[in-house]
Amino acid sequence: MVHAFFDPAQAAAFNAAASKKDSQFEVRYFPLHGLGNITRMLLASSGAKFTNFNPEDWAALKPEAPFGVMPLLKETTSDGTVIQIAESDAIERYLSKKFGYYGDNIFEETLIDTFVSSDNDIMNKIFGFIMLKDAEQKAEAKEKALQGPVANWVKNHELHLQNNGANGHYVGNKHTLADFKTAQLISIIQGFSGEDLISEKLTPALIKVRATVDKIPSLAAWRATDEWKAFADRNKAALGF
Amino acid sequence: MVHAFFDPAQAAAFNAAASKKDSQFEVRYFPLHGLGNITRMLLASSGAKFTNFNPEDWAALKPEAPFGVMPLLKETTSDGTVIQIAESDAIERYLSKKFGYYGDNIFEETLIDTFVSSDNDIMNKIFGFIMLKDAEQKAEAKEKALQGPVANWVKNHELHLQNNGANGHYVGNKHTLADFKTAQLISIIQGFSGEDLISEKLTPALIKVRATVDKIPSLAAWRATDEWKAFADRNKAALGF
């Protein structure tokens, strides 16, 4: 039997649902930020109604999941259509298209893809040392990543943001997926390196991206909830920040 | 000065170039498959005219590159417009949109994003152990990755491909970016595990994806060139297959 998620028979209903902005969303993930963070940021920033479902027994639900992984996004439209999406990258792209965070033409889309890809590359390099168990190896790999690719990322992104007028955005004067991804990455890099690589003085344009994202009222409201704070506590316990 | 690549002043020219299919392309990368492989597969499969430029002195060109990394794609349209794209993921998405490998609607696009994201995740897990220097640790991490996430990927992708009729495609009856990414990933997984995880007997639908991609005449022609074989030799020297 075809998993409902992949069933071509639902194509028309899916395409109709994708254009609706008044849906109700459920984010199924562990009770921490992790790979669910950008999805929740996109939903909160766009003012969408969403709830979080943190399965107590993920092992029992895992076999039903399209790839056996979370996060999973469930969308219920105002007319009752239900669709699901797996894989954080696919969820983020779907929501960005729906809520206008993916650019207005292929030039903007390609720029956004480029910055997002560059951000993902750095996230993977950071995961590379986070996952190491041996403390000495981890410290060495962390230093190497921070001084090499991370420092290179900081330099190049600061330059391109300066070229866009240091207005807190990568593309024009609007929020795109690239802004959200970078705002998250700045938090993570600062978590590991304090103000050594990214600071108001060293990289004002990068700092502006994060500040501009932080200022979105509906996102700030989500971050003021007890639920968000509980997720942050879990992240802090795992990563130390 | 704004890097030409990111300059908003080129938006109209870029958008016009993106719709043209008779352009001439240059792929700037090291003389091996690596991160340039999917880009070259997309160009060859679509019958596009492309050349490879393998800088002898990459260090000298690196500071000019948008993020100091390759691959880079240069496109020259028949009317002389020149555009550039950086980051393999952005290049692959741009070419997929241009040559019809990215789906006809948001349902198809989201499915493709989902499969591509799942493929990228496994590629990152494989890079995770390839990069380890200590032989014992590498062997242990390789076994763990192959028996865990890679085996899980094989199981789920085989299932979804079977559900699509085991016709060699993820979406409908046409080639999409997901087919190319998976065809490459199959080669890499088989390179590490022979026929233990992927074989005609164990996973006929996955094997069919690779066979269907291999059958594209213009792709087969590119793979018969001395240049392609030289890239394959370099890959073999680095990875052993």
Side-chain angles (χ1 to χ4, degrees), chain B residues 139-188:
Chain B
E140 194 188 319
K142 178 180 152 185
E143 253 340 89
K144 206 175 148 189
L146 291 178
Q147 298 311 317
V150 177
N152 189 52
W153 178 90
V154 169
K155 187 191 71 183
N156 283 306
H157 281 249
E158 176 69 14
L159 175 67
H160 299 311
L161 288 163
Q162 290 284 356
N163 283 337
N164 194 44
N167 64 355
H169 300 292
Y170 279 102
V171 175
N173 199 23
K174 63 191 172 195
H175 287 293
T176 65
L177 179 58
D179 298 356
F180 293 107
K181 296 286 266 193
T182 284
Q184 173 184 257
L185 189 49
I186 291 170
S187 297
I188 291 170

Side-chain angles (χ1 to χ4, degrees), chain B residues 18-85:
Chain B
S19 68
K20 294 190 186 292
K21 293 193 171 58
D22 61 345
S23 303
Q24 174 80 42
F25 297 88
E26 177 203 280
V27 181
R28 180 173 296 194
Y29 191 56
F30 303 104
L32 43 79
H33 295 319
L35 291 176
N37 190 36
I38 298 284
T39 291
R40 296 179 186 125
M41 283 172 79
L42 292 166
L43 288 168
S45 298
S46 64
K49 290 165 284 181
F50 72 101
T51 54
N52 292 290
F53 173 54
N54 316 121
E56 285 190 25
D57 189 2
W58 164 234
L61 294 174
K62 198 175 159 75
E64 284 171 39
F67 297 119
V69 293
M70 297 198 289
L72 289 169
L73 180 74
K74 187 162 100 178
E75 173 173 358
T76 307
T77 65
S78 51
D79 62 9
T81 304
V82 178
I83 63 172
Q84 277 184 286
I85 308 175

